[in-house]
Amino acid sequence: MQITTVSDFRKDMKAYLDRVVKNVETLIINRGKDSGIVVMSLEEYNSLMATNHELSSRKNESRLDSAIDKLKSGNTFSKDLIED
C-alpha cells in the first residue's frame, strides 16, 4: 500500500497510477484531517466486487467454505474434458 498527499499525487500522477496497476497496489491519497481517497486498479476492483458478490448470501458463503474444506483435506477429484 502506498500513501501520498494530493500535492505529491498531482506532481507525479502518471507514475503513481502506473505503480498501482503494475504492482497491484492500493494508493491512499490523504486529503487532510480524517479524509482520504483510495485508488486501485480496475482488475483489483473487479476482484473485490466478485468476492463481495460471492459472499453476499449465506448459502454461497457456506458452499465456498465447504469447497475450501474439501480442498484442504485432499477430498478432490479430477475429470478429463471431452473434446469434440
Side-chain angles (χ1 to χ4, degrees):
M1 175 181 355
Q2 299 179 66
I3 300 174
T4 191
T5 63
V6 172
S7 298
D8 287 342
F9 179 71
R10 211 179 279 137
K11 289 176 192 173
D12 206 4
M13 189 183 306
K14 182 178 180 338
Y16 277 108
L17 296 177
D18 287 345
R19 276 183 278 185
V20 165
V21 172
K22 180 182 176 188
N23 301 329
V24 192
E25 288 185 351
T26 303
L27 172 65
I28 297 175
I29 303 172
N30 278 330
R31 299 184 64 211
K33 189 177 184 182
D34 298 328
S35 69
I37 295 177
V38 176
V39 178
M40 67 178 69
S41 69
L42 181 59
E43 181 181 352
E44 186 70 14
Y45 174 79
N46 287 337
S47 175
L48 284 172
M49 291 299 104
T51 300
N52 187 48
H53 174 73
E54 292 297 327
L55 298 177
S56 63
S57 76
R58 193 71 183 132
K59 190 173 185 178
N60 277 353
E61 189 175 348
S62 295
R63 286 178 181 166
L64 289 170
D65 288 342
S66 174
I68 290 169
D69 290 342
K70 287 177 183 177
L71 183 64
K72 285 181 179 178
S73 69
N75 186 10
T76 61
F77 63 92
S78 63
K79 287 190 170 191
D80 292 330
L81 295 177
I82 298 173
E83 295 183 29
D84 291 331

Coordinates of all heavy atoms in Angstrom, one line a residue:
M1 N 0.8 -1.2 0.0 CA 0.0 0.0 0.0 C 0.9 1.2 0.0 O 1.9 1.3 0.7 CB -0.9 0.0 1.2 CG -1.7 1.2 1.4 SD -2.8 1.4 2.8 CE -2.7 -0.1 3.7
Q2 N 0.5 2.2 -0.8 CA 1.2 3.4 -0.9 C 0.4 4.5 -0.3 O -0.9 4.5 -0.4 CB 1.5 3.9 -2.3 CG 2.3 2.9 -3.2 CD 2.4 3.5 -4.6 OE1 3.0 4.5 -4.8 NE2 1.8 2.8 -5.5
I3 N 1.0 5.5 0.3 CA 0.3 6.7 0.9 C 1.0 7.9 0.4 O 2.2 8.0 0.3 CB 0.3 6.6 2.4 CG1 -0.4 5.4 2.9 CG2 -0.4 7.9 3.0 CD1 -0.3 5.2 4.4
T4 N 0.2 8.9 -0.1 CA 0.7 10.1 -0.6 C -0.3 11.3 -0.3 O -1.4 11.0 0.2 CB 1.0 10.1 -2.1 OG1 1.8 11.2 -2.4 CG2 -0.2 10.0 -2.9
T5 N 0.2 12.5 -0.5 CA -0.7 13.6 -0.4 C -1.3 14.0 -1.7 O -0.7 13.6 -2.8 CB 0.1 14.8 0.2 OG1 1.1 15.2 -0.7 CG2 0.7 14.5 1.5
V6 N -2.3 14.9 -1.8 CA -2.8 15.4 -3.0 C -1.8 16.1 -3.8 O -1.6 15.9 -5.0 CB -4.0 16.3 -2.7 CG1 -4.5 16.9 -4.0 CG2 -5.2 15.5 -2.1
S7 N -1.0 16.9 -3.1 CA 0.1 17.7 -3.8 C 1.1 16.8 -4.5 O 1.4 17.0 -5.7 CB 0.8 18.6 -2.9 OG -0.1 19.5 -2.3
D8 N 1.6 15.8 -3.8 CA 2.6 14.9 -4.4 C 1.9 14.0 -5.5 O 2.6 13.8 -6.5 CB 3.2 13.9 -3.3 CG 4.1 14.6 -2.4 OD1 4.6 15.7 -2.8 OD2 4.4 14.1 -1.3
F9 N 0.7 13.6 -5.3 CA 0.0 12.9 -6.4 C -0.2 13.7 -7.6 O 0.1 13.2 -8.7 CB -1.4 12.4 -5.9 CG -2.2 11.7 -6.9 CD1 -1.8 10.4 -7.2 CD2 -3.3 12.2 -7.5 CE1 -2.6 9.6 -8.2 CE2 -4.1 11.5 -8.4 CZ -3.7 10.2 -8.7
R10 N -0.5 15.0 -7.5 CA -0.7 15.9 -8.6 C 0.6 16.0 -9.4 O 0.6 16.1 -10.6 CB -1.2 17.2 -8.1 CG -2.0 17.9 -9.1 CD -2.5 19.3 -8.6 NE -3.7 19.1 -7.7 CZ -3.8 19.7 -6.5 NH1 -2.9 20.6 -6.1 NH2 -4.9 19.5 -5.8
K11 N 1.8 16.1 -8.7 CA 3.1 16.3 -9.3 C 3.5 15.1 -10.2 O 4.1 15.3 -11.2 CB 4.1 16.5 -8.2 CG 4.1 17.8 -7.5 CD 5.1 17.9 -6.4 CE 4.9 19.0 -5.5 NZ 5.8 19.0 -4.3
D12 N 3.1 13.9 -9.8 CA 3.6 12.7 -10.5 C 2.5 11.7 -10.6 O 2.7 10.5 -10.4 CB 4.8 12.1 -9.7 CG 5.7 11.4 -10.7 OD1 5.5 11.3 -11.9 OD2 6.7 10.8 -10.1
M13 N 1.3 12.1 -11.1 CA 0.1 11.3 -11.2 C 0.4 10.0 -12.0 O 0.0 8.9 -11.6 CB -1.0 12.1 -11.8 CG -2.3 11.4 -11.7 SD -3.7 12.3 -12.5 CE -3.6 13.9 -11.7
K14 N 1.0 10.2 -13.2 CA 1.2 9.0 -14.1 C 2.0 8.0 -13.4 O 1.7 6.8 -13.4 CB 1.9 9.5 -15.4 CG 2.1 8.3 -16.3 CD 2.7 8.7 -17.6 CE 2.9 7.6 -18.6 NZ 3.0 6.3 -18.2
A15 N 3.1 8.3 -12.7 CA 4.0 7.4 -12.0 C 3.2 6.6 -10.9 O 3.3 5.4 -10.8 CB 5.2 8.0 -11.5
Y16 N 2.4 7.4 -10.2 CA 1.6 6.7 -9.1 C 0.6 5.7 -9.7 O 0.5 4.6 -9.2 CB 0.8 7.8 -8.3 CG 1.7 8.4 -7.2 CD1 2.1 9.8 -7.3 CD2 2.0 7.7 -6.0 CE1 2.8 10.4 -6.3 CE2 2.7 8.3 -5.0 CZ 3.2 9.7 -5.2 OH 3.9 10.3 -4.2
L17 N -0.1 6.1 -10.7 CA -1.1 5.3 -11.3 C -0.4 4.0 -12.0 O -1.0 2.9 -11.9 CB -1.9 6.0 -12.4 CG -2.8 7.1 -11.8 CD1 -3.5 7.9 -12.9 CD2 -3.8 6.6 -10.7
D18 N 0.7 4.2 -12.6 CA 1.5 3.1 -13.2 C 1.8 2.1 -12.1 O 1.7 0.9 -12.3 CB 2.7 3.6 -13.9 CG 2.4 4.3 -15.3 OD1 1.2 4.1 -15.7 OD2 3.3 5.0 -15.8
R19 N 2.3 2.6 -11.0 CA 2.7 1.7 -9.9 C 1.5 0.9 -9.3 O 1.6 -0.3 -9.0 CB 3.4 2.4 -8.7 CG 4.8 2.6 -9.0 CD 5.5 3.3 -7.8 NE 5.2 4.7 -8.1 CZ 5.6 5.7 -7.3 NH1 6.4 5.5 -6.3 NH2 5.4 6.9 -7.6
V20 N 0.3 1.6 -9.2 CA -0.9 0.9 -8.8 C -1.2 -0.2 -9.6 O -1.5 -1.3 -9.2 CB -2.1 1.9 -8.7 CG1 -3.4 1.2 -8.5 CG2 -1.9 2.9 -7.5
V21 N -1.2 0.0 -11.0 CA -1.5 -1.1 -11.9 C -0.5 -2.2 -12.0 O -0.8 -3.4 -11.9 CB -1.8 -0.5 -13.3 CG1 -2.0 -1.6 -14.3 CG2 -3.0 0.4 -13.3
K22 N 0.8 -1.8 -12.1 CA 1.9 -2.7 -12.3 C 2.1 -3.6 -11.1 O 2.3 -4.8 -11.2 CB 3.2 -2.0 -12.6 CG 4.4 -2.9 -12.8 CD 5.6 -2.1 -13.0 CE 6.8 -3.0 -13.1 NZ 8.1 -2.3 -13.1
N23 N 2.0 -3.0 -9.9 CA 2.3 -3.8 -8.6 C 1.0 -4.3 -7.9 O 1.1 -4.8 -6.8 CB 3.1 -2.9 -7.7 CG 4.4 -2.5 -8.3 OD1 5.0 -3.2 -9.1 ND2 4.9 -1.3 -8.0
V24 N -0.1 -4.1 -8.5 CA -1.4 -4.4 -7.9 C -1.5 -3.9 -6.5 O -1.7 -4.6 -5.5 CB -1.7 -6.0 -7.9 CG1 -3.2 -6.2 -7.6 CG2 -1.4 -6.6 -9.3
E25 N -1.2 -2.6 -6.4 CA -1.1 -1.9 -5.1 C -2.4 -1.0 -4.9 O -3.0 -0.7 -5.9 CB 0.1 -1.1 -4.9 CG 1.4 -1.8 -4.8 CD 2.6 -0.9 -4.5 OE1 2.4 0.3 -4.6 OE2 3.6 -1.4 -4.2
T26 N -2.6 -0.7 -3.7 CA -3.6 0.3 -3.4 C -2.9 1.6 -3.0 O -1.9 1.6 -2.3 CB -4.5 -0.2 -2.2 OG1 -5.1 -1.4 -2.5 CG2 -5.6 0.8 -1.9
L27 N -3.4 2.7 -3.5 CA -2.9 4.0 -3.2 C -3.9 4.8 -2.3 O -5.0 4.9 -2.7 CB -2.6 4.8 -4.5 CG -2.1 6.2 -4.3 CD1 -0.8 6.3 -3.6 CD2 -2.1 6.9 -5.7
I28 N -3.4 5.3 -1.2 CA -4.2 6.2 -0.4 C -3.7 7.6 -0.5 O -2.5 7.9 -0.3 CB -4.2 5.7 1.1 CG1 -4.8 4.3 1.2 CG2 -5.0 6.7 2.0 CD1 -4.7 3.7 2.6
I29 N -4.6 8.5 -0.9 CA -4.3 9.9 -1.0 C -4.9 10.6 0.1 O -6.1 10.7 0.3 CB -4.8 10.5 -2.4 CG1 -4.3 9.7 -3.5 CG2 -4.4 11.9 -2.5 CD1 -4.9 10.0 -4.9
N30 N -4.1 11.1 1.0 CA -4.5 11.9 2.2 C -5.0 13.3 1.8 O -4.3 13.9 1.0 CB -3.4 12.0 3.2 CG -3.3 10.8 4.1 OD1 -4.3 10.1 4.3 ND2 -2.1 10.5 4.6
R31 N -6.1 13.7 2.2 CA -6.7 15.0 1.9 C -6.8 15.9 3.1 O -7.6 16.8 3.1 CB -8.0 14.8 1.2 CG -7.9 14.0 -0.1 CD -9.2 14.0 -0.8 NE -9.6 15.3 -1.2 CZ -10.9 15.7 -1.3 NH1 -11.9 14.9 -1.0 NH2 -11.2 16.9 -1.7
G32 N -6.1 15.5 4.2 CA -6.2 16.3 5.4 C -6.8 15.5 6.5 O -6.9 14.3 6.5
K33 N -7.4 16.2 7.4 CA -7.9 15.6 8.6 C -9.1 14.6 8.3 O -10.1 15.0 7.9 CB -8.4 16.7 9.6 CG -8.8 16.3 10.9 CD -9.2 17.4 11.8 CE -9.5 16.9 13.2 NZ -9.9 18.0 14.1
D34 N -8.8 13.4 8.7 CA -9.8 12.3 8.6 C -10.5 12.1 7.2 O -11.5 11.5 7.1 CB -11.0 12.6 9.6 CG -10.5 12.6 11.0 OD1 -9.5 11.9 11.3 OD2 -11.0 13.4 11.8
S35 N -9.9 12.5 6.2 CA -10.4 12.2 4.9 C -9.3 11.7 3.9 O -8.2 12.1 4.0 CB -11.2 13.4 4.2 OG -10.2 14.4 3.9
G36 N -9.7 10.9 3.0 CA -8.8 10.3 2.1 C -9.5 9.7 0.9 O -10.7 9.5 1.0
I37 N -8.7 9.3 -0.1 CA -9.2 8.6 -1.2 C -8.4 7.4 -1.5 O -7.2 7.4 -1.3 CB -9.2 9.6 -2.5 CG1 -10.1 10.8 -2.2 CG2 -9.5 8.9 -3.7 CD1 -10.1 11.8 -3.3
V38 N -9.0 6.3 -1.9 CA -8.4 5.1 -2.3 C -8.4 4.9 -3.8 O -9.4 5.1 -4.4 CB -9.0 3.9 -1.6 CG1 -8.4 2.6 -2.0 CG2 -9.0 4.0 -0.1
V39 N -7.2 4.6 -4.4 CA -7.1 4.4 -5.8 C -6.6 2.9 -5.9 O -5.6 2.5 -5.3 CB -6.1 5.4 -6.4 CG1 -5.9 5.1 -7.9 CG2 -6.5 6.8 -6.2
M40 N -7.3 2.2 -6.8 CA -6.9 0.8 -7.1 C -7.1 0.5 -8.6 O -7.8 1.2 -9.2 CB -7.6 -0.2 -6.2 CG -9.1 -0.3 -6.5 SD -10.0 -1.5 -5.5 CE -9.9 -0.8 -3.9
S41 N -6.4 -0.5 -9.0 CA -6.6 -0.9 -10.4 C -8.0 -1.4 -10.7 O -8.7 -1.9 -9.8 CB -5.6 -1.9 -10.8 OG -5.9 -3.2 -10.2
L42 N -8.5 -1.4 -11.9 CA -9.8 -1.9 -12.3 C -9.8 -3.4 -12.0 O -10.8 -4.0 -11.5 CB -10.1 -1.6 -13.8 CG -11.4 -2.1 -14.3 CD1 -12.6 -1.5 -13.5 CD2 -11.5 -1.8 -15.7
E43 N -8.7 -4.1 -12.3 CA -8.6 -5.5 -12.0 C -8.8 -5.9 -10.5 O -9.6 -6.8 -10.2 CB -7.2 -6.1 -12.5 CG -7.0 -7.5 -12.3 CD -5.7 -8.0 -12.7 OE1 -4.9 -7.2 -13.3 OE2 -5.3 -9.2 -12.4
E44 N -8.2 -5.1 -9.7 CA -8.4 -5.3 -8.2 C -9.8 -5.0 -7.8 O -10.4 -5.7 -7.0 CB -7.4 -4.4 -7.5 CG -7.4 -4.6 -6.0 CD -6.8 -5.9 -5.5 OE1 -6.1 -6.6 -6.4 OE2 -7.0 -6.3 -4.4
Y45 N -10.4 -3.9 -8.3 CA -11.7 -3.5 -8.0 C -12.7 -4.6 -8.4 O -13.6 -5.0 -7.7 CB -12.1 -2.2 -8.7 CG -13.5 -1.8 -8.6 CD1 -14.0 -1.3 -7.4 CD2 -14.5 -2.1 -9.6 CE1 -15.4 -0.9 -7.3 CE2 -15.8 -1.8 -9.5 CZ -16.2 -1.2 -8.3 OH -17.6 -0.9 -8.2
N46 N -12.6 -5.1 -9.7 CA -13.4 -6.2 -10.1 C -13.3 -7.4 -9.3 O -14.3 -8.1 -9.0 CB -13.1 -6.5 -11.6 CG -13.6 -5.5 -12.5 OD1 -14.5 -4.7 -12.2 ND2 -13.0 -5.4 -13.7
S47 N -12.1 -7.8 -8.8 CA -11.9 -8.9 -8.0 C -12.6 -8.7 -6.6 O -13.3 -9.6 -6.1 CB -10.4 -9.1 -7.7 OG -10.2 -10.1 -6.8
L48 N -12.5 -7.5 -6.1 CA -13.3 -7.2 -4.8 C -14.8 -7.3 -5.0 O -15.5 -7.9 -4.1 CB -12.9 -5.8 -4.3 CG -11.5 -5.7 -3.7 CD1 -11.3 -4.2 -3.4 CD2 -11.4 -6.5 -2.4
M49 N -15.3 -6.8 -6.1 CA -16.7 -6.9 -6.3 C -17.2 -8.3 -6.5 O -18.3 -8.7 -6.1 CB -17.1 -6.1 -7.6 CG -16.9 -4.6 -7.4 SD -18.0 -3.9 -6.1 CE -16.8 -3.7 -4.7
A50 N -16.4 -9.2 -7.2 CA -16.7 -10.6 -7.4 C -16.7 -11.3 -6.1 O -17.7 -12.1 -5.8 CB -15.7 -11.2 -8.4
T51 N -15.7 -11.0 -5.2 CA -15.7 -11.7 -3.9 C -16.9 -11.2 -3.1 O -17.5 -12.0 -2.4 CB -14.4 -11.3 -3.2 OG1 -13.3 -11.8 -4.0 CG2 -14.3 -11.9 -1.8
N52 N -17.2 -9.9 -3.1 CA -18.4 -9.4 -2.4 C -19.6 -10.1 -2.9 O -20.5 -10.4 -2.0 CB -18.4 -7.9 -2.6 CG -19.5 -7.3 -1.7 OD1 -19.6 -7.5 -0.6 ND2 -20.3 -6.4 -2.3
H53 N -19.8 -10.3 -4.2 CA -21.0 -10.9 -4.7 C -21.0 -12.4 -4.2 O -22.1 -12.9 -3.8 CB -21.0 -10.9 -6.2 CG -22.1 -11.7 -6.8 ND1 -23.4 -11.3 -6.8 CD2 -22.1 -12.9 -7.4 CE1 -24.2 -12.2 -7.3 NE2 -23.4 -13.1 -7.8
E54 N -19.9 -13.1 -4.3 CA -19.9 -14.5 -3.9 C -20.2 -14.7 -2.4 O -20.8 -15.7 -2.0 CB -18.5 -15.1 -4.1 CG -18.2 -15.3 -5.6 CD -19.1 -16.2 -6.3 OE1 -19.6 -17.2 -5.7 OE2 -19.4 -15.9 -7.5
L55 N -19.9 -13.7 -1.6 CA -20.1 -13.8 -0.1 C -21.4 -13.1 0.3 O -21.7 -12.9 1.5 CB -18.9 -13.2 0.6 CG -17.6 -14.0 0.4 CD1 -16.5 -13.3 1.2 CD2 -17.7 -15.4 0.9
S56 N -22.2 -12.6 -0.7 CA -23.4 -11.8 -0.4 C -24.5 -12.6 0.2 O -25.4 -12.1 0.9 CB -23.9 -11.1 -1.6 OG -24.3 -12.0 -2.6
S57 N -24.5 -13.9 0.0 CA -25.6 -14.7 0.6 C -25.0 -15.8 1.5 O -23.9 -16.3 1.2 CB -26.5 -15.4 -0.5 OG -25.8 -16.5 -1.1
R58 N -25.7 -16.1 2.5 CA -25.2 -17.2 3.4 C -25.0 -18.5 2.7 O -24.1 -19.2 3.0 CB -26.2 -17.3 4.6 CG -25.7 -18.1 5.7 CD -24.6 -17.2 6.5 NE -24.0 -18.0 7.5 CZ -22.7 -18.2 7.7 NH1 -21.9 -17.5 7.0 NH2 -22.3 -18.9 8.7
K59 N -25.9 -18.8 1.8 CA -25.8 -20.1 1.1 C -24.5 -20.1 0.2 O -23.8 -21.2 0.3 CB -27.0 -20.2 0.2 CG -27.2 -21.6 -0.5 CD -28.5 -21.7 -1.2 CE -28.8 -23.1 -1.7 NZ -30.1 -23.2 -2.4
N60 N -24.2 -19.1 -0.5 CA -23.0 -19.0 -1.3 C -21.8 -19.2 -0.4 O -20.8 -19.9 -0.7 CB -22.9 -17.7 -2.1 CG -23.6 -17.8 -3.4 OD1 -24.1 -18.8 -3.8 ND2 -23.7 -16.7 -4.0
E61 N -21.8 -18.4 0.7 CA -20.7 -18.5 1.7 C -20.5 -19.9 2.2 O -19.3 -20.4 2.3 CB -20.9 -17.5 2.8 CG -19.7 -17.3 3.7 CD -20.0 -16.2 4.8 OE1 -21.0 -15.5 4.7 OE2 -19.2 -16.2 5.7
S62 N -21.5 -20.6 2.5 CA -21.4 -22.0 3.0 C -20.9 -22.9 2.0 O -20.0 -23.8 2.3 CB -22.8 -22.5 3.5 OG -23.3 -21.7 4.6
R63 N -21.3 -22.7 0.7 CA -20.8 -23.6 -0.3 C -19.3 -23.4 -0.5 O -18.5 -24.3 -0.7 CB -21.5 -23.3 -1.6 CG -22.9 -23.8 -1.7 CD -23.6 -23.4 -3.0 NE -24.9 -23.9 -3.1 CZ -25.8 -23.5 -3.9 NH1 -25.5 -22.6 -4.8 NH2 -27.0 -24.0 -3.9
L64 N -18.9 -22.1 -0.5 CA -17.4 -21.8 -0.7 C -16.6 -22.4 0.5 O -15.5 -22.9 0.3 CB -17.2 -20.3 -0.8 CG -17.7 -19.6 -2.1 CD1 -17.6 -18.1 -2.0 CD2 -16.8 -20.1 -3.3
D65 N -17.1 -22.2 1.7 CA -16.4 -22.8 2.9 C -16.3 -24.3 2.8 O -15.2 -24.9 3.1 CB -17.1 -22.4 4.2 CG -17.0 -20.9 4.5 OD1 -16.1 -20.3 4.0 OD2 -17.8 -20.4 5.4
S66 N -17.4 -24.9 2.3 CA -17.3 -26.4 2.2 C -16.3 -26.8 1.1 O -15.6 -27.8 1.3 CB -18.7 -26.9 1.8 OG -18.7 -28.2 1.5
A67 N -16.3 -26.1 0.0 CA -15.3 -26.4 -1.1 C -13.9 -26.2 -0.6 O -13.0 -27.0 -0.9 CB -15.6 -25.5 -2.3
I68 N -13.6 -25.2 0.2 CA -12.3 -24.9 0.7 C -11.9 -26.0 1.7 O -10.8 -26.5 1.6 CB -12.2 -23.5 1.4 CG1 -12.3 -22.4 0.3 CG2 -11.0 -23.4 2.2 CD1 -12.5 -21.0 0.9
D69 N -12.8 -26.5 2.5 CA -12.5 -27.5 3.5 C -12.2 -28.8 2.7 O -11.3 -29.6 3.1 CB -13.7 -27.8 4.4 CG -13.9 -26.7 5.4 OD1 -12.9 -25.9 5.6 OD2 -15.0 -26.5 6.0
K70 N -13.0 -29.1 1.7 CA -12.7 -30.4 0.9 C -11.3 -30.3 0.2 O -10.6 -31.3 0.2 CB -13.8 -30.6 -0.2 CG -15.1 -31.0 0.4 CD -16.1 -31.1 -0.7 CE -17.5 -31.5 -0.2 NZ -18.5 -31.6 -1.2
L71 N -11.0 -29.1 -0.3 CA -9.7 -29.0 -0.9 C -8.5 -29.1 0.1 O -7.6 -29.8 -0.2 CB -9.6 -27.6 -1.6 CG -8.3 -27.3 -2.4 CD1 -8.2 -28.2 -3.6 CD2 -8.3 -25.8 -2.9
K72 N -8.7 -28.5 1.2 CA -7.6 -28.6 2.3 C -7.5 -30.1 2.8 O -6.4 -30.5 3.1 CB -8.0 -27.7 3.4 CG -7.7 -26.2 3.1 CD -8.0 -25.4 4.3 CE -7.7 -23.9 4.0 NZ -8.1 -23.0 5.1
S73 N -8.6 -30.8 2.8 CA -8.5 -32.2 3.3 C -8.1 -33.2 2.3 O -7.9 -34.4 2.5 CB -9.8 -32.6 3.9 OG -10.8 -32.8 2.9
G74 N -7.9 -32.7 1.0 CA -7.5 -33.6 0.0 C -8.6 -34.4 -0.7 O -8.4 -35.3 -1.4
N75 N -9.8 -34.0 -0.3 CA -11.0 -34.7 -0.9 C -11.4 -34.1 -2.2 O -12.4 -33.4 -2.3 CB -12.2 -34.5 0.2 CG -13.4 -35.3 -0.2 OD1 -13.3 -36.1 -1.2 ND2 -14.5 -35.1 0.5
T76 N -10.6 -34.4 -3.2 CA -10.8 -33.8 -4.5 C -10.8 -34.9 -5.6 O -10.4 -36.0 -5.3 CB -9.7 -32.8 -4.9 OG1 -8.4 -33.5 -4.9 CG2 -9.6 -31.6 -3.9
F77 N -11.2 -34.5 -6.8 CA -11.2 -35.5 -7.9 C -10.9 -34.7 -9.2 O -11.0 -33.4 -9.2 CB -12.5 -36.3 -8.0 CG -13.7 -35.4 -8.3 CD1 -14.1 -35.2 -9.6 CD2 -14.4 -34.8 -7.3 CE1 -15.2 -34.4 -9.9 CE2 -15.5 -34.1 -7.5 CZ -15.9 -33.8 -8.8
S78 N -10.5 -35.3 -10.2 CA -10.3 -34.7 -11.5 C -11.0 -35.4 -12.6 O -11.3 -36.6 -12.5 CB -8.8 -34.6 -11.8 OG -8.3 -35.9 -12.0
K79 N -11.3 -34.7 -13.6 CA -12.0 -35.2 -14.8 C -11.4 -34.7 -16.0 O -10.9 -33.6 -16.1 CB -13.5 -34.8 -14.8 CG -14.4 -35.5 -13.7 CD -15.8 -35.2 -14.0 CE -16.7 -36.1 -13.1 NZ -18.1 -36.1 -13.5
D80 N -11.4 -35.6 -17.1 CA -10.9 -35.1 -18.4 C -12.0 -34.4 -19.1 O -13.2 -34.8 -19.0 CB -10.4 -36.3 -19.2 CG -9.2 -37.0 -18.6 OD1 -8.4 -36.3 -17.9 OD2 -9.1 -38.2 -18.8
L81 N -11.6 -33.4 -19.8 CA -12.6 -32.7 -20.7 C -12.9 -33.5 -21.9 O -12.0 -34.1 -22.5 CB -12.0 -31.3 -21.1 CG -11.8 -30.3 -19.9 CD1 -11.2 -29.1 -20.4 CD2 -13.1 -30.0 -19.2
I82 N -14.1 -33.4 -22.4 CA -14.5 -34.1 -23.6 C -14.2 -33.2 -24.7 O -14.7 -32.0 -24.8 CB -16.0 -34.5 -23.6 CG1 -16.3 -35.4 -22.4 CG2 -16.4 -35.1 -24.9 CD1 -17.8 -35.7 -22.2
E83 N -13.4 -33.6 -25.7 CA -13.1 -32.8 -26.8 C -13.9 -33.3 -28.0 O -14.1 -34.5 -28.3 CB -11.6 -32.9 -27.2 CG -10.7 -32.4 -26.1 CD -9.3 -32.4 -26.4 OE1 -9.0 -32.3 -27.6 OE2 -8.5 -32.5 -25.5
D84 N -14.5 -32.3 -28.8 CA -15.3 -32.7 -30.0 C -14.4 -32.8 -31.2 O -13.4 -32.3 -31.4 CB -16.3 -31.5 -30.2 CG -17.4 -31.5 -29.2 OD1 -17.7 -32.6 -28.6 OD2 -17.9 -30.4 -28.9

